[in-house]
Amino acid sequence: MKNAKNIMNTANLTRLVMLLAVLLSLIAIFLVATKRTPAQIHANECKSVVMVASGDTLSKLLLEQGLSHNDVNTIAKVLKSDAEISTLRADRDKLEFVRAHDDAPVSKIVVIPSPWRQVELTCNEKGGWECKTTDVERDIRAVYKSGEIQDGDSFYLAGQRAGIPAGILIDVYDLLAFEMDFERDVRAGQRFSVLYEENFANGQKIDNGRVLAVSFQALRGNVQMYRFRKSDGSTGYYDENGNGAIKSLKRTPINNAKITSKFSRNRKHPVLGYTRAHKGVDFRASTGTPIPAAGAGRVVARSFNRGHGNFVKIRHNGSFETLYAHMSKFAKGVNVGTTVRQGQTIGYVGSTGYSTGPHLHYEIIKDGVHVNPMTVKLPAISNLGKDDKKKFLEYRKTLDEGIEQLEKNPGMYIQL
């Protein structure tokens, strides 16, 4: 009984508690040292990224990473069925291979077909492969750039000096070509501006998006266009009043091409030597330059004659037709009866027929009468309905207020 009392006295009890605490601390230290957390395991993973090169195939790349032929076949089937990926594109697609450590087999494959989409393949406990597709969230920012045409400038040079990316400039060309003749309408002192999207992911800029608004002080007056989504989900470009800004035909089919001969009722023909009407506009361009359709329509003629050489004629609606002459050759698949979309290549610049050099002869025929492509009033594709117009005017006001702030603060952007 005495021994039991001695064991249970206060001093001994304190020593026992301290001993147990030390033992528990040692056990905890041992467990921490020998057991890795999920974050630690992830940190120690080994990753390698492969950019698909010319001649690479999925099979070739997977076998090089040590996967078996069975794995290759399974992965190919899963990619095709679950991610709709059947081929890899050189210089565009990337593959990321993940291992637990350097000598471990591949446990995860990430296929990156675009900056905005990732396809993750993981090997499960049974050795099968599972697929999960993830869309990368875009951080969209509206950026504003403005500039002024200087002596000797083209719009393209002035746009480059203003810091507008080449791809955005091309889009702006396509929009303004419905209203402007870039050969005659561009003068020193004219100002222009563009509001466009920049797409970011994880703080890094990936690419440029769409043109949201454009303004140009043209000779015929200020041209303004705004991109707007209608209530039915479709999008288009509209002027400041909500009228369709995109016309059914373009005045200049080939962007930035120099006019060498204007529309005239009385012109001396350079080959024939006598005076007669020049029923279209000539654009200088090198042989082989693609010729896009000025508007959507149906090919009603594709032939050759002595004057026009190789030519294509397109009917766009009940009133308008366009003709493209002196082609070096026709585009594949463009035949009489073919329906073409606006911007589709229908042929290539040449010098066939009565021609002194490679160029495009372009005509617009309205109600059977040849008209000047540079001055004819062209119909809009569509205007906004009453409800959409009301929403558009509210949207345009908000966008204009944002543009005004960006004009004052060039380094800023609008978060969309």
Side-chain angles (χ1 to χ4, degrees), residues 224-228 230 236-247 380-397:
Q224 289 182 286
M225 297 184 183
Y226 300 85
R227 189 177 191 276
F228 177 71
K230 297 194 294 185
Y237 287 88
Y238 303 88
D239 67 16
E240 63 271 26
N241 298 314
N243 299 317
I246 303 301
K247 309 304 180 186
I381 289 179
S382 65
N383 294 324
L384 294 173
K386 183 178 178 180
D387 292 340
D388 276 330
K389 179 172 283 193
K390 182 179 178 181
K391 293 177 182 177
F392 167 81
L393 293 174
E394 294 172 354
Y395 167 76
R396 193 213 74 192
K397 182 180 178 181

Side-chain angles (χ1 to χ4, degrees), residues 79 85 88 94-95 109-113 117-121:
L79 279 176
I85 296 176
L88 298 179
K94 290 192 295 186
L95 277 72
I109 303 168
V110 181
V111 182
I112 308 173
R117 183 174 177 236
Q118 292 188 0
V119 179
E120 187 176 293
L121 295 152

Side-chain angles (χ1 to χ4, degrees), residues 155-161 163-175 182 192 194 211 255:
F155 172 63
Y156 191 82
L157 288 175
Q160 283 186 316
R161 190 172 57 250
I164 303 172
I168 295 297
L169 278 174
I170 292 172
D171 291 342
V172 172
Y173 255 115
D174 286 338
L175 291 172
F182 282 99
F192 58 89
V194 182
V211 173
N255 287 338

Side-chain angles (χ1 to χ4, degrees), residues 272-323:
L272 299 176
Y274 56 80
T275 299
R276 70 175 189 175
H278 188 235
K279 298 180 179 180
V281 176
D282 291 346
F283 297 92
R284 179 187 298 158
S286 57
T287 299
T289 300
I291 300 171
R298 182 172 59 87
V299 176
V300 293
R302 173 191 179 275
S303 187
F304 175 90
N305 65 34
R306 288 188 300 169
H308 287 144
N310 293 323
F311 72 94
V312 167
K313 190 175 186 180
I314 301 173
R315 180 167 296 140
H316 301 280
N317 56 23
S319 300
F320 285 90
E321 294 177 321
T322 53
L323 185 143

